[in-house]
Amino acid sequence: LLLVGIAAYTGSSTRQVTSVKYAGQNLSLVARRRNGTTGTGNITLTELWQLVNPPTDSGTVAVTLNGSSLGWVVGATTFTGVNQTTPLGTVAVASSSTGAPTVNVTSASNELVFDVMAREWPGTATAGTSQTELWEQSDADDILGAASTKAGAANVTMSWSTNRNTYPWSQIAVPIKPAGGATATTFTQAVGMATDLSMPAGGMITVTTYISVTSGTPVAPRAITTTLQYGPTAFAILTNPSVTSLGGGVYTLVWTVG
């Protein structure tokens, strides 16, 4: 996932980004936030754009505005292990004409929250508690932009302290969703076995299954459990399988107990 954050001091409520491209591919707009909606002067603009599964080759990020801007900065960050169908959660935005940038985000423990902020006037910014700063940049005269990440939770606050707390700011934050798969798979014998099956008490049990991995590589620890049962009664629970690659993204998982 490629996220491009844009911070601008526009001087106009109609000034905005019209397109963002990476290596010739169009990004889509995630969110746009100004500290004001009408008039001219003292208007900061924050925008966030995304591209799912961007090209892995090096390329140029090209940003186009619908007119001139008093000052602007751009930062690009790539993330791996992201859900390719629904990469982002619910966007949160905030803005004010004074004070320190801060926004509250609804997220989850397995997610990563990303934020980007714009503040009028160049200077410095420090990311809030437990945030990891990704980039921070000022232009010569008019704008400060910065972005960070923070581990997801039910409620996450993304905040910044800056060297000037009496200037307008705007901020966007969004959780990044991890790539996921099935957390449980159940196999049921649909047709009764031809003959009775006897399993001596204390005997060794080996279960082998095949999986096809479309993204990533299975790594330890492998929290995968197999449960064998007869009717409602579980008689064997197997954990921590060995994994062998067969090539082409196909793996065998083998559980042994006894």
Side-chain angles (χ1 to χ4, degrees), residues 3-28:
L3 292 179
V4 175
I6 300 158
Y9 178 59
T10 66
S12 168
S13 60
T14 62
R15 191 69 64 242
Q16 63 189 41
V17 175
T18 56
S19 73
V20 179
K21 293 185 177 183
Y22 172 67
Q25 293 193 24
N26 289 313
L27 279 70
S28 60

Short mmCIF file of all heavy atoms in Angstrom, two decimals, residues 3-28:
data_model
loop_
_atom_site.label_atom_id
_atom_site.label_comp_id
_atom_site.label_asym_id
_atom_site.label_seq_id
_atom_site.Cartn_x
_atom_site.Cartn_y
_atom_site.Cartn_z
N LEU A 3 0.77 5.28 0.56
CA LEU A 3 0.01 6.42 1.06
C LEU A 3 0.81 7.69 0.82
O LEU A 3 1.99 7.77 1.20
CB LEU A 3 -0.29 6.27 2.55
CG LEU A 3 -1.26 5.15 2.96
CD1 LEU A 3 -1.44 5.13 4.47
CD2 LEU A 3 -2.60 5.31 2.26
N VAL A 4 0.17 8.66 0.20
CA VAL A 4 0.80 9.95 -0.06
C VAL A 4 0.04 11.02 0.71
O VAL A 4 -1.16 11.21 0.52
CB VAL A 4 0.79 10.28 -1.57
CG1 VAL A 4 1.32 11.69 -1.81
CG2 VAL A 4 1.63 9.27 -2.34
N GLY A 5 0.75 11.69 1.61
CA GLY A 5 0.17 12.77 2.40
C GLY A 5 0.62 14.11 1.85
O GLY A 5 1.79 14.29 1.48
N ILE A 6 -0.30 15.05 1.84
CA ILE A 6 -0.03 16.38 1.27
C ILE A 6 -0.43 17.44 2.28
O ILE A 6 -1.55 17.39 2.82
CB ILE A 6 -0.79 16.59 -0.04
CG1 ILE A 6 -0.37 15.52 -1.07
CG2 ILE A 6 -0.56 17.99 -0.60
CD1 ILE A 6 -1.36 15.28 -2.16
N ALA A 7 0.46 18.37 2.54
CA ALA A 7 0.18 19.49 3.44
C ALA A 7 0.41 20.79 2.68
O ALA A 7 1.48 20.97 2.09
CB ALA A 7 1.09 19.43 4.67
N ALA A 8 -0.59 21.66 2.67
CA ALA A 8 -0.48 22.89 1.88
C ALA A 8 -1.07 24.07 2.63
O ALA A 8 -2.00 23.93 3.43
CB ALA A 8 -1.18 22.73 0.54
N TYR A 9 -0.49 25.24 2.37
CA TYR A 9 -1.06 26.50 2.82
C TYR A 9 -1.59 27.18 1.57
O TYR A 9 -0.84 27.69 0.74
CB TYR A 9 0.01 27.35 3.50
CG TYR A 9 -0.49 28.71 3.95
CD1 TYR A 9 -1.54 28.81 4.86
CD2 TYR A 9 0.09 29.87 3.48
CE1 TYR A 9 -2.00 30.04 5.28
CE2 TYR A 9 -0.35 31.11 3.91
CZ TYR A 9 -1.40 31.19 4.81
OH TYR A 9 -1.85 32.42 5.23
N THR A 10 -2.90 27.13 1.39
CA THR A 10 -3.46 27.47 0.09
C THR A 10 -3.89 28.92 -0.05
O THR A 10 -3.89 29.46 -1.14
CB THR A 10 -4.70 26.59 -0.18
OG1 THR A 10 -5.72 26.92 0.76
CG2 THR A 10 -4.34 25.12 -0.07
N GLY A 11 -4.31 29.53 1.05
CA GLY A 11 -4.83 30.88 0.94
C GLY A 11 -6.17 30.95 0.24
O GLY A 11 -6.68 32.03 -0.06
N SER A 12 -6.78 29.78 -0.07
CA SER A 12 -8.06 29.75 -0.77
C SER A 12 -8.81 28.48 -0.39
O SER A 12 -8.22 27.40 -0.30
CB SER A 12 -7.85 29.79 -2.29
OG SER A 12 -9.06 29.50 -2.97
N SER A 13 -10.11 28.59 -0.18
CA SER A 13 -10.93 27.43 0.18
C SER A 13 -11.24 26.53 -1.02
O SER A 13 -11.82 25.46 -0.85
CB SER A 13 -12.24 27.89 0.82
OG SER A 13 -12.98 28.69 -0.09
N THR A 14 -10.88 26.97 -2.21
CA THR A 14 -11.13 26.15 -3.41
C THR A 14 -9.88 25.44 -3.92
O THR A 14 -9.97 24.60 -4.81
CB THR A 14 -11.71 27.00 -4.54
OG1 THR A 14 -10.75 28.01 -4.90
CG2 THR A 14 -13.01 27.67 -4.12
N ARG A 15 -8.73 25.79 -3.36
CA ARG A 15 -7.50 25.16 -3.83
C ARG A 15 -7.42 23.74 -3.30
O ARG A 15 -7.64 23.49 -2.12
CB ARG A 15 -6.27 25.95 -3.37
CG ARG A 15 -4.99 25.50 -4.05
CD ARG A 15 -4.96 25.86 -5.51
NE ARG A 15 -4.98 27.31 -5.68
CZ ARG A 15 -5.95 27.96 -6.31
NH1 ARG A 15 -6.98 27.32 -6.83
NH2 ARG A 15 -5.90 29.28 -6.43
N GLN A 16 -7.09 22.77 -4.18
CA GLN A 16 -6.99 21.38 -3.77
C GLN A 16 -6.22 20.58 -4.81
O GLN A 16 -5.95 21.05 -5.92
CB GLN A 16 -8.37 20.76 -3.57
CG GLN A 16 -9.21 20.70 -4.84
CD GLN A 16 -10.65 20.29 -4.55
OE1 GLN A 16 -11.25 20.73 -3.58
NE2 GLN A 16 -11.20 19.43 -5.41
N VAL A 17 -5.86 19.37 -4.44
CA VAL A 17 -5.16 18.46 -5.34
C VAL A 17 -6.16 17.82 -6.29
O VAL A 17 -7.24 17.39 -5.88
CB VAL A 17 -4.40 17.39 -4.55
CG1 VAL A 17 -3.77 16.37 -5.49
CG2 VAL A 17 -3.34 18.03 -3.66
N THR A 18 -5.82 17.77 -7.56
CA THR A 18 -6.70 17.15 -8.55
C THR A 18 -6.24 15.76 -8.96
O THR A 18 -7.05 14.95 -9.42
CB THR A 18 -6.81 18.02 -9.81
OG1 THR A 18 -5.48 18.27 -10.32
CG2 THR A 18 -7.49 19.34 -9.48
N SER A 19 -4.96 15.46 -8.81
CA SER A 19 -4.48 14.12 -9.14
C SER A 19 -3.16 13.85 -8.46
O SER A 19 -2.36 14.76 -8.22
CB SER A 19 -4.33 13.93 -10.65
OG SER A 19 -3.21 14.64 -11.14
N VAL A 20 -2.94 12.57 -8.16
CA VAL A 20 -1.65 12.08 -7.66
C VAL A 20 -1.32 10.82 -8.45
O VAL A 20 -2.16 9.92 -8.58
CB VAL A 20 -1.68 11.78 -6.16
CG1 VAL A 20 -0.32 11.26 -5.70
CG2 VAL A 20 -2.08 13.01 -5.35
N LYS A 21 -0.11 10.73 -8.97
CA LYS A 21 0.31 9.57 -9.74
C LYS A 21 1.64 9.04 -9.21
O LYS A 21 2.49 9.81 -8.77
CB LYS A 21 0.45 9.91 -11.22
CG LYS A 21 -0.86 10.25 -11.92
CD LYS A 21 -0.65 10.46 -13.41
CE LYS A 21 -1.97 10.73 -14.12
NZ LYS A 21 -1.80 10.85 -15.60
N TYR A 22 1.76 7.72 -9.27
CA TYR A 22 3.05 7.09 -8.96
C TYR A 22 3.39 6.14 -10.11
O TYR A 22 2.59 5.25 -10.45
CB TYR A 22 3.00 6.31 -7.65
CG TYR A 22 4.25 5.50 -7.42
CD1 TYR A 22 5.47 6.14 -7.18
CD2 TYR A 22 4.23 4.12 -7.47
CE1 TYR A 22 6.63 5.41 -7.00
CE2 TYR A 22 5.39 3.38 -7.28
CZ TYR A 22 6.59 4.03 -7.04
OH TYR A 22 7.74 3.31 -6.87
N ALA A 23 4.55 6.35 -10.69
CA ALA A 23 4.99 5.53 -11.82
C ALA A 23 3.91 5.45 -12.90
O ALA A 23 3.69 4.40 -13.50
CB ALA A 23 5.38 4.13 -11.35
N GLY A 24 3.20 6.54 -13.10
CA GLY A 24 2.18 6.61 -14.13
C GLY A 24 0.81 6.09 -13.71
O GLY A 24 -0.15 6.21 -14.48
N GLN A 25 0.69 5.52 -12.50
CA GLN A 25 -0.59 4.99 -12.04
C GLN A 25 -1.30 6.03 -11.17
O GLN A 25 -0.67 6.70 -10.34
CB GLN A 25 -0.39 3.70 -11.25
CG GLN A 25 0.10 2.54 -12.09
CD GLN A 25 -0.03 1.22 -11.36
OE1 GLN A 25 -0.84 1.06 -10.46
NE2 GLN A 25 0.78 0.24 -11.77
N ASN A 26 -2.62 6.12 -11.33
CA ASN A 26 -3.41 7.08 -10.56
C ASN A 26 -3.68 6.58 -9.15
O ASN A 26 -4.08 5.42 -8.96
CB ASN A 26 -4.74 7.35 -11.26
CG ASN A 26 -4.58 8.15 -12.53
OD1 ASN A 26 -3.88 9.15 -12.56
ND2 ASN A 26 -5.23 7.70 -13.60
N LEU A 27 -3.49 7.44 -8.17
CA LEU A 27 -3.90 7.17 -6.81
C LEU A 27 -5.33 7.64 -6.61
O LEU A 27 -5.82 8.50 -7.35
CB LEU A 27 -2.98 7.86 -5.81
CG LEU A 27 -1.64 7.17 -5.50
CD1 LEU A 27 -0.69 7.23 -6.69
CD2 LEU A 27 -1.00 7.78 -4.26
N SER A 28 -6.01 7.14 -5.58
CA SER A 28 -7.37 7.57 -5.26
C SER A 28 -7.37 8.37 -3.97
O SER A 28 -6.58 8.11 -3.05
CB SER A 28 -8.32 6.37 -5.14
OG SER A 28 -7.88 5.50 -4.12
#
